[in-house]
Amino acid sequence: MTTLDRDETHAPAAPTRPVVTGRPLPLRVAAPLAVAAGLALLVAFPPYGVWPLAPVGVALLAAATHRRRLRAGAGLGFLTGVALFAPLLAWTNLHTGYLPWVLLSLLQAGYLALLGAATAWVSPLVDRVRWSWPVLTGLLWVGQETLRDRTPFGGFPWGRLAFSQDTSPLLRLASLGGAPLVTFAVALLGGLLVTAAWHTWTTLRPTTLTHPSGTGSTTGPADTAPPVDTATATGSSARRWAPVAVPAALAVALTAGALLVPVAAAGSGATVTVAIVQGNVPRLGLDFNAQRQAVLNNHVDATLELAARVAAGQQDQPDLVVWPENSSDIDPLRNPTAGARISQAADTVRAPILVGAVLLGPGAGQVRNAGILWRPGTGADLDQLYTKRHPVPFAEYVPLRDVARMVSKQVDLIRNDFVPGSTPGVVRVGPAVLGDVICFEVAYDEVVRDTVTGGAQLLVVQTNNATFDVAEARQQLAMVRLRAVEHGRPALMASTVGVSGFVAPDGRVSDATGFNTREVVVRQLRLDDGRTLATRLGWWPEVALAALAAAALVGAAVVRRRQRIMPG
């Protein structure tokens, strides 16, 4: 062996950067944080509407699951999900018993369990590049919602982060990338908050640092390399506070910067006068239409009263009247008496009526939830009929009925399955082209977007809240506000019992009605034919963000394998 060989053999190994193997938060801290995360998210939604708590909830969940084992991360995410969805969806148990509410809440909480596990999984990426934490948090939330919005049986998008921001500056981002971009922004804010808070927490306690080789260890402030000298460890005051101040400043800048996103305060097209008739029902609950034709009579009578005010010069002549979902509790195409009553209302008010009706057929034992245009003088216009494309599973139809019956006999209360429509709800009235969606369909991006790309100038949401409560109605109105901004369209929500009202393209609500009352509201609306960036981009922002979320999970797997770090 030469001298050179001996020198190379005994040469010291090149220094390597230590790998952080700090501990997660103690479970006694993480579990309450996870519950608090769910409660913070809950209070961000209507009827509470404290929107700044949404990013706080995101931050609390991210802190609770960071560096945990996957099962622990999933468990903490599930705690957050139960704390959020159980009270958020409490309106589902008002008239159907506890079982549907419990099952739905647990199912939705399961998706936050997946989010908790995913957040734990990407911890090595966060530890490697701390400034990636906000972006990773945003991506994982979008990925979770992408999955939850579509599975199972078409998904259930209720409780998306975007729907908590109806009074937030971040709502304006919907015009750029729809609900997925708003969700990403909310979660990004949460990631900025946890980045700042985690630095504050970890600098107060020691952690163990090991070299990738697994040999040697040292103790020092968490998430930092061992200090080289006193001057480096101390640093300037600005440098010490940068990990806290910079994320906080970015969070404020992002929220304030959203105010700079332009949205239209009113449409740029023709003006139409629209009336919403909220006829109310004899009683709330699943048997709201038990008294034959009572709901229809309520809406006819309210429309006749509107016509009398128009004739007396007390109210502008409407170009269109909108009745809510299930406003005709009898099929008016098959029942001559029901059809005659609607014709009476349309002829007297001298305006077409968009009627929400349950239509029998097309097959035996099948029904359709539809919006049908009823014109004065001519009656039902069968060419302008929209059938709900996204019936609600276990509410309007029962998938796997034999299996579901083993869980609850209540599934047999749904005797006839609603069949879905196949075309978007583009209804051409004459003075306006309507984008009609029915009830929960407003939560689904593509259902609303398809009406706008089909030419809709005014978004119409027909809904029946008689089986729910005012909290559910206000949550639904928040979705209408987002859709109006997303597509730059005036919008309205017509409910049997409330809340009904008009929404401007910038998200402002006008003439909102009370709950469980009979009211008629009339407003002039300026239509719009333009398309926002969100409308033009369609589903691509969500696809891109979800794909990046998947890439982050793969990247975390690579880092884990290279560093051989087990989750904390």
Side-chain angles (χ1 to χ4, degrees):
M1 180 180 294
T2 65
T3 302
L4 180 60
D5 291 334
R6 287 196 300 271
D7 291 342
E8 290 179 348
T9 302
H10 298 289
T16 58
R17 179 183 176 89
V19 175
V20 177
T21 58
R23 292 181 175 275
L25 296 177
L27 190 59
R28 66 180 182 276
V29 175
L33 282 185
V35 174
L39 296 177
L41 290 168
L42 169 68
V43 177
F45 287 91
Y48 314 103
V50 188
W51 63 264
L53 287 181
V56 172
V58 170
L60 293 174
L61 178 59
T65 54
H66 186 54
R67 294 177 179 165
R68 306 214 83 88
R69 295 183 184 275
L70 298 186
R71 284 180 296 179
L76 292 168
F78 188 76
L79 283 179
T80 298
V82 171
L84 167 62
F85 287 111
L88 185 72
L89 303 177
W91 44 266
T92 61
N93 78 349
L94 293 176
H95 307 286
T96 60
Y98 288 102
L99 186 60
W101 165 58
V102 170
L103 293 178
L104 181 60
S105 299
L106 293 179
L107 174 63
Q108 299 307 300
Y111 287 92
L112 288 197
L114 293 177
L115 175 64
T119 305
W121 178 256
V122 301
S123 296
L125 279 178
V126 172
D127 287 332
R128 188 181 185 91
V129 184
R130 176 53 48 84
W131 294 104
S132 68
W133 205 349
V135 174
L136 289 173
T137 302
L139 294 176
L140 293 181
W141 270 93
V142 173
Q144 173 264 142
E145 289 187 357
T146 300
L147 184 64
R148 187 166 68 85
D149 297 352
R150 291 167 173 80
T151 60
F153 310 117
F156 188 69
W158 219 271
R160 296 169 76 177
L161 288 182
F163 296 152
S164 69
Q165 302 297 297
D166 60 316
T167 58
S168 162
L170 298 180
L171 181 69
R172 303 170 78 92
L173 298 177
S175 66
L176 302 179
L181 182 60
V182 178
T183 285
F184 176 77
V186 174
L188 180 68
L189 287 178
L192 290 168
L193 294 179
V194 74
T195 300
W198 190 270
H199 176 81
T200 303
W201 166 267
T202 54
T203 52
L204 299 178
R205 65 191 183 98
T207 188
T208 301
L209 303 173
T210 63
H211 289 279
S213 63
T215 61
S217 65
T218 183
T219 300
D223 305 332
T224 61
V228 177
D229 54 42
T230 303
T232 304
T234 303
S236 66
S237 177
R239 176 172 295 184
R240 289 199 305 272
W241 283 102
V244 176
V246 172
L250 288 175
V252 173
L254 174 60
T255 306
L259 292 171
L260 302 178
V261 177
V263 293
S268 56
T271 299
V272 296
T273 301
V274 182
I276 300 174
V277 174
Q278 179 179 300
N280 211 1
V281 300
R283 55 186 175 270
L284 299 176
L286 290 176
D287 61 345
F288 70 92
N289 61 353
Q291 183 180 341
R292 185 173 177 83
Q293 202 169 313
V295 179
L296 173 58
N297 285 336
N298 282 356
H299 286 83
V300 170
D301 293 343
T303 304
L304 295 178
E305 292 169 5
L306 168 63
R309 292 197 299 274
V310 172
Q314 300 169 352
Q315 184 68 67
D316 293 337
Q317 169 65 48
D319 299 304
L320 168 69
V321 177
V322 179
W323 288 3
E325 176 190 27
N326 300 152
S327 51
S328 179
D329 47 359
I330 299 175
D331 185 347
L333 301 182
R334 295 173 182 260
N335 185 291
T337 302
R341 288 241 65 193
I342 300 174
S343 292
Q344 177 191 9
D347 293 346
T348 306
V349 79
R350 296 182 293 123
I353 302 175
L354 182 64
V355 179
V358 176
L359 307 179
L360 300 179
Q366 294 179 329
V367 290
R368 290 170 290 161
N369 193 348
I372 180 170
L373 193 66
W374 213 277
R375 297 186 185 274
T378 58
D381 185 346
L382 298 183
D383 291 331
Q384 303 303 322
L385 184 151
Y386 168 62
T387 299
K388 187 176 183 180
R389 296 168 63 194
H390 205 300
V392 180
F394 303 104
E396 293 179 312
Y397 76 101
V398 181
L400 308 174
R401 186 179 286 268
D402 292 338
V403 176
R405 189 179 292 114
M406 291 187 288
V407 177
S408 173
K409 300 294 185 182
Q410 289 186 330
V411 298
D412 290 328
L413 293 175
I414 306 170
R415 293 185 295 272
N416 298 320
D417 284 337
F418 283 78
V419 295
S422 58
T423 57
V426 179
V427 178
R428 303 181 187 279
V429 177
V433 181
L434 310 182
D436 188 23
V437 297
I438 298 176
C439 200
F440 289 2
E441 287 187 318
V442 69
Y444 296 90
D445 297 346
E446 68 281 359
V447 176
V448 181
R449 183 171 58 242
D450 287 349
T451 69
V452 178
T453 57
Q457 302 166 307
L458 169 64
L459 300 179
V460 173
V461 179
Q462 296 177 286
T463 186
N464 174 24
N465 308 107
T467 55
F468 305 125
D469 62 12
V470 67
E472 183 272 346
R474 294 196 179 280
Q475 290 163 17
Q476 201 168 25
L477 184 60
M479 301 177 197
V480 180
R481 298 179 73 173
L482 183 138
R483 298 307 181 194
V485 174
E486 178 181 10
H487 298 294
R489 293 290 189 273
L492 64 87
M493 185 165 97
S495 171
T496 48
V497 298
V499 176
S500 303
F502 297 98
V503 181
D506 62 359
R508 290 177 300 164
V509 177
S510 302
D511 303 314
T513 64
F515 191 76
N516 197 20
T517 61
R518 188 164 99 176
E519 298 187 46
V520 176
V521 290
V522 182
R523 192 170 188 84
Q524 282 192 339
L525 303 175
R526 186 171 292 278
L527 305 177
D528 204 315
D529 292 304
R531 294 192 179 185
T532 64
L533 180 61
T535 306
R536 293 196 298 269
L537 291 177
W539 68 335
W540 287 111
E542 184 177 36
V543 169
L545 292 170
L548 288 173
L553 296 176
V554 174
V558 172
V559 173
R560 282 173 172 271
R561 183 169 60 252
R562 288 181 177 177
Q563 296 185 346
R564 298 176 183 175
I565 295 179
M566 297 297 291

